Amino acid sequence: MTAHPNPLLDGPRLAPIAGGKPTGLVVLLHGYGSNGHDLISLARVIQRSLPGIAFVAPDAPSLMPRMAKAHQWWPIESFSPAERAAGVAGAAPDLDRFLSDELKSHGLGDDRLLIVGFSQGAMMALHVGLRRRHPIAGIIGISGMLVDPGSLEAEITNRPPVLLIHGTADDVVPFRSLELAANALSAAGVPVTTHVSRGLGHSVDQDGLAAAAAFVARVLP
């Protein structure tokens, strides 16, 4: 794992286990109060089935006050729709630049990029991924939601396949967020599939990881 010149975003990386130049890039975006090292563990679980893929899990640019190694894509106080919309819009340019820099460093195009996000990171993945200048390979949103769906029709620039994964017992981001996001994405012409984790809280289980791995293998063959 090597340091990256982007001063705002950086995090742990996994090189392809097959060695050599990667055939694709998966970027994992952590949730509120977490960090890239926490989420890169998901990559290690699915890496063996994706030997040619490189992974990176950047830390969000903002540290939470008085909490070591706890990062946030934007501060959450009220979790209101207006706060979420302003939060993703404010954090989006740095993430978009990071994605471009990472692809360039690997000599890959957007069509070889897949973004995975958990919770607040899923909100970032959907917002930025659907607004990239060039079409990407896909997006996986885990235990998240589609922020500011009203702006999607005017701002969407590409329609990659999307997989949404959510637990029915999520007490942080309501499970109904999955249906709301899926309906809005479908209405915008985005091909979306869902995976429901029965009885699961704000987390991802082995079935969800298996669904994610199969999705990555399909869109990044």
Side-chain angles (χ1 to χ4, degrees), residues 95-115:
L95 176 58
D96 193 51
R97 190 178 309 115
F98 175 82
L99 297 174
S100 296
D101 289 346
E102 288 291 317
L103 288 170
K104 183 178 179 180
S105 72
H106 290 300
L108 296 170
D110 272 59
D111 63 327
R112 304 304 298 170
L113 168 67
L114 185 138
I115 311 172

Side-chain angles (χ1 to χ4, degrees), residues 84-153:
R84 294 196 298 267
V88 292
D94 289 339
L95 176 58
D96 193 51
R97 190 178 309 115
F98 175 82
L99 297 174
S100 296
D101 289 346
E102 288 291 317
L103 288 170
K104 183 178 179 180
S105 72
H106 290 300
L108 296 170
D110 272 59
D111 63 327
R112 304 304 298 170
L113 168 67
L114 185 138
I115 311 172
V116 181
F118 176 78
S119 193
Q120 193 182 51
M123 302 176 205
M124 290 298 303
L126 289 167
H127 185 87
V128 174
L130 297 171
R131 291 164 175 81
R132 289 283 291 176
R133 180 175 299 180
H134 302 292
I136 66 174
I139 302 170
I140 300 175
I142 305 170
S143 302
M145 64 170 53
L146 181 67
V147 172
D148 196 17
S151 69
L152 187 60
E153 183 177 355

Side-chain angles (χ1 to χ4, degrees), residues 26 32-33 96 133 181 192 194 199 209:
V26 173
Y32 181 76
D96 193 51
R133 180 175 299 180
V192 57
T194 62
L209 289 174

